[in-house]
PDB file of all heavy atoms in Angstrom:
ATOM      1  N   ASP J  35     -15.624  14.751  16.580  1.00  0.00           N
ATOM      2  CA  ASP J  35     -14.923  14.446  15.340  1.00  0.00           C
ATOM      3  C   ASP J  35     -15.555  15.257  14.192  1.00  0.00           C
ATOM      4  O   ASP J  35     -14.893  15.933  13.418  1.00  0.00           O
ATOM      5  CB  ASP J  35     -14.960  12.944  15.041  1.00  0.00           C
ATOM      6  CG  ASP J  35     -14.313  12.580  13.742  1.00  0.00           C
ATOM      7  OD1 ASP J  35     -14.901  12.862  12.673  1.00  0.00           O
ATOM      8  OD2 ASP J  35     -13.178  12.023  13.752  1.00  0.00           O
ATOM      9  N   ALA J  36     -16.870  15.159  14.132  1.00  0.00           N
ATOM     10  CA  ALA J  36     -17.577  15.843  13.011  1.00  0.00           C
ATOM     11  C   ALA J  36     -17.381  17.350  13.055  1.00  0.00           C
ATOM     12  O   ALA J  36     -17.352  18.011  12.046  1.00  0.00           O
ATOM     13  CB  ALA J  36     -19.082  15.502  13.083  1.00  0.00           C
ATOM     14  N   LYS J  37     -17.230  17.890  14.278  1.00  0.00           N
ATOM     15  CA  LYS J  37     -17.054  19.318  14.388  1.00  0.00           C
ATOM     16  C   LYS J  37     -15.645  19.794  14.018  1.00  0.00           C
ATOM     17  O   LYS J  37     -15.461  20.898  13.491  1.00  0.00           O
ATOM     18  CB  LYS J  37     -17.309  19.759  15.854  1.00  0.00           C
ATOM     19  CG  LYS J  37     -18.780  19.790  16.198  1.00  0.00           C
ATOM     20  CD  LYS J  37     -19.054  20.671  17.440  1.00  0.00           C
ATOM     21  CE  LYS J  37     -20.519  20.679  17.771  1.00  0.00           C
ATOM     22  NZ  LYS J  37     -20.912  19.494  18.601  1.00  0.00           N
ATOM     23  N   SER J  38     -14.625  18.969  14.284  1.00  0.00           N
ATOM     24  CA  SER J  38     -13.230  19.472  14.166  1.00  0.00           C
ATOM     25  C   SER J  38     -12.314  18.740  13.210  1.00  0.00           C
ATOM     26  O   SER J  38     -11.224  19.221  12.879  1.00  0.00           O
ATOM     27  CB  SER J  38     -12.569  19.376  15.550  1.00  0.00           C
ATOM     28  OG  SER J  38     -13.323  20.065  16.502  1.00  0.00           O
ATOM     29  N   VAL J  39     -12.681  17.558  12.730  1.00  0.00           N
ATOM     30  CA  VAL J  39     -11.721  16.739  12.009  1.00  0.00           C
ATOM     31  C   VAL J  39     -12.119  16.621  10.515  1.00  0.00           C
ATOM     32  O   VAL J  39     -13.274  16.496  10.215  1.00  0.00           O
ATOM     33  CB  VAL J  39     -11.628  15.334  12.638  1.00  0.00           C
ATOM     34  CG1 VAL J  39     -10.592  14.476  11.902  1.00  0.00           C
ATOM     35  CG2 VAL J  39     -11.303  15.407  14.110  1.00  0.00           C
ATOM     36  N   TRP J  40     -11.106  16.656   9.646  1.00  0.00           N
ATOM     37  CA  TRP J  40     -11.273  16.436   8.209  1.00  0.00           C
ATOM     38  C   TRP J  40     -10.437  15.177   7.899  1.00  0.00           C
ATOM     39  O   TRP J  40      -9.232  15.206   8.004  1.00  0.00           O
ATOM     40  CB  TRP J  40     -10.764  17.663   7.449  1.00  0.00           C
ATOM     41  CG  TRP J  40     -11.102  17.691   6.010  1.00  0.00           C
ATOM     42  CD1 TRP J  40     -11.512  16.651   5.230  1.00  0.00           C
ATOM     43  CD2 TRP J  40     -11.033  18.872   5.136  1.00  0.00           C
ATOM     44  NE1 TRP J  40     -11.728  17.101   3.958  1.00  0.00           N
ATOM     45  CE2 TRP J  40     -11.420  18.435   3.870  1.00  0.00           C
ATOM     46  CE3 TRP J  40     -10.639  20.195   5.335  1.00  0.00           C
ATOM     47  CZ2 TRP J  40     -11.449  19.332   2.770  1.00  0.00           C
ATOM     48  CZ3 TRP J  40     -10.693  21.058   4.261  1.00  0.00           C
ATOM     49  CH2 TRP J  40     -11.097  20.631   3.005  1.00  0.00           C
ATOM     50  N   HIS J  41     -11.163  14.137   7.479  1.00  0.00           N
ATOM     51  CA  HIS J  41     -10.484  12.829   7.247  1.00  0.00           C
ATOM     52  C   HIS J  41     -10.035  12.672   5.815  1.00  0.00           C
ATOM     53  O   HIS J  41     -10.650  13.202   4.905  1.00  0.00           O
ATOM     54  CB  HIS J  41     -11.405  11.670   7.610  1.00  0.00           C
ATOM     55  CG  HIS J  41     -11.669  11.531   9.091  1.00  0.00           C
ATOM     56  ND1 HIS J  41     -10.941  10.652   9.877  1.00  0.00           N
ATOM     57  CD2 HIS J  41     -12.500  12.159   9.940  1.00  0.00           C
ATOM     58  CE1 HIS J  41     -11.322  10.738  11.122  1.00  0.00           C
ATOM     59  NE2 HIS J  41     -12.283  11.658  11.213  1.00  0.00           N
ATOM     60  N   PRO J  42      -8.969  11.879   5.620  1.00  0.00           N
ATOM     61  CA  PRO J  42      -8.474  11.633   4.225  1.00  0.00           C
ATOM     62  C   PRO J  42      -9.459  10.825   3.429  1.00  0.00           C
ATOM     63  O   PRO J  42     -10.122   9.939   3.971  1.00  0.00           O
ATOM     64  CB  PRO J  42      -7.169  10.878   4.469  1.00  0.00           C
ATOM     65  CG  PRO J  42      -7.212  10.321   5.855  1.00  0.00           C
ATOM     66  CD  PRO J  42      -8.146  11.203   6.626  1.00  0.00           C
ATOM     67  N   PHE J  43      -9.524  11.087   2.112  1.00  0.00           N
ATOM     68  CA  PHE J  43     -10.330  10.286   1.194  1.00  0.00           C
ATOM     69  C   PHE J  43     -11.740  10.034   1.791  1.00  0.00           C
ATOM     70  O   PHE J  43     -12.263   8.941   1.717  1.00  0.00           O
ATOM     71  CB  PHE J  43      -9.692   8.926   0.921  1.00  0.00           C
ATOM     72  CG  PHE J  43      -8.544   9.010  -0.069  1.00  0.00           C
ATOM     73  CD1 PHE J  43      -7.264   9.271   0.335  1.00  0.00           C
ATOM     74  CD2 PHE J  43      -8.783   8.803  -1.408  1.00  0.00           C
ATOM     75  CE1 PHE J  43      -6.232   9.359  -0.608  1.00  0.00           C
ATOM     76  CE2 PHE J  43      -7.750   8.881  -2.360  1.00  0.00           C
ATOM     77  CZ  PHE J  43      -6.479   9.134  -1.938  1.00  0.00           C
ATOM     78  N   THR J  44     -12.335  11.099   2.312  1.00  0.00           N
ATOM     79  CA  THR J  44     -13.614  10.928   3.002  1.00  0.00           C
ATOM     80  C   THR J  44     -14.619  11.982   2.536  1.00  0.00           C
ATOM     81  O   THR J  44     -14.319  13.167   2.560  1.00  0.00           O
ATOM     82  CB  THR J  44     -13.420  11.050   4.569  1.00  0.00           C
ATOM     83  OG1 THR J  44     -12.568   9.925   4.959  1.00  0.00           O
ATOM     84  CG2 THR J  44     -14.756  10.892   5.284  1.00  0.00           C
ATOM     85  N   GLN J  45     -15.799  11.567   2.128  1.00  0.00           N
ATOM     86  CA  GLN J  45     -16.886  12.477   1.823  1.00  0.00           C
ATOM     87  C   GLN J  45     -17.618  12.787   3.106  1.00  0.00           C
ATOM     88  O   GLN J  45     -18.415  11.962   3.613  1.00  0.00           O
ATOM     89  CB  GLN J  45     -17.841  11.868   0.796  1.00  0.00           C
ATOM     90  CG  GLN J  45     -19.000  12.755   0.414  1.00  0.00           C
ATOM     91  CD  GLN J  45     -18.647  14.176   0.233  1.00  0.00           C
ATOM     92  OE1 GLN J  45     -18.797  15.047   1.136  1.00  0.00           O
ATOM     93  NE2 GLN J  45     -18.102  14.547  -0.944  1.00  0.00           N
ATOM     94  N   HIS J  46     -17.409  13.970   3.643  1.00  0.00           N
ATOM     95  CA  HIS J  46     -17.935  14.249   4.982  1.00  0.00           C
ATOM     96  C   HIS J  46     -19.436  14.454   4.995  1.00  0.00           C
ATOM     97  O   HIS J  46     -20.035  14.448   6.065  1.00  0.00           O
ATOM     98  CB  HIS J  46     -17.187  15.436   5.589  1.00  0.00           C
ATOM     99  CG  HIS J  46     -15.950  14.996   6.324  1.00  0.00           C
ATOM    100  ND1 HIS J  46     -15.943  14.538   7.620  1.00  0.00           N
ATOM    101  CD2 HIS J  46     -14.648  14.802   5.873  1.00  0.00           C
ATOM    102  CE1 HIS J  46     -14.716  14.152   7.961  1.00  0.00           C
ATOM    103  NE2 HIS J  46     -13.910  14.267   6.921  1.00  0.00           N
ATOM    104  N   GLN J  47     -20.025  14.603   3.814  1.00  0.00           N
ATOM    105  CA  GLN J  47     -21.487  14.662   3.807  1.00  0.00           C
ATOM    106  C   GLN J  47     -22.125  13.328   4.252  1.00  0.00           C
ATOM    107  O   GLN J  47     -23.241  13.329   4.728  1.00  0.00           O
ATOM    108  CB  GLN J  47     -21.924  15.036   2.385  1.00  0.00           C
ATOM    109  CG  GLN J  47     -23.384  15.499   2.331  1.00  0.00           C
ATOM    110  CD  GLN J  47     -23.619  16.345   1.078  1.00  0.00           C
ATOM    111  OE1 GLN J  47     -22.944  17.354   0.904  1.00  0.00           O
ATOM    112  NE2 GLN J  47     -24.509  15.882   0.259  1.00  0.00           N
ATOM    113  N   LEU J  48     -21.393  12.234   4.119  1.00  0.00           N
ATOM    114  CA  LEU J  48     -21.923  10.918   4.470  1.00  0.00           C
ATOM    115  C   LEU J  48     -21.319  10.395   5.758  1.00  0.00           C
ATOM    116  O   LEU J  48     -21.783   9.388   6.310  1.00  0.00           O
ATOM    117  CB  LEU J  48     -21.626   9.922   3.336  1.00  0.00           C
ATOM    118  CG  LEU J  48     -22.187  10.227   1.981  1.00  0.00           C
ATOM    119  CD1 LEU J  48     -21.634   9.276   0.966  1.00  0.00           C
ATOM    120  CD2 LEU J  48     -23.699  10.176   2.020  1.00  0.00           C
TER     121      LEU J  48
END
Side-chain angles (χ1 to χ4, degrees):
D35 178 287
K37 283 200 181 84
S38 305
V39 182
W40 191 344
H41 288 265
F43 282 88
T44 297
Q45 178 44 261
H46 274 275
Q47 195 157 301
L48 302 171

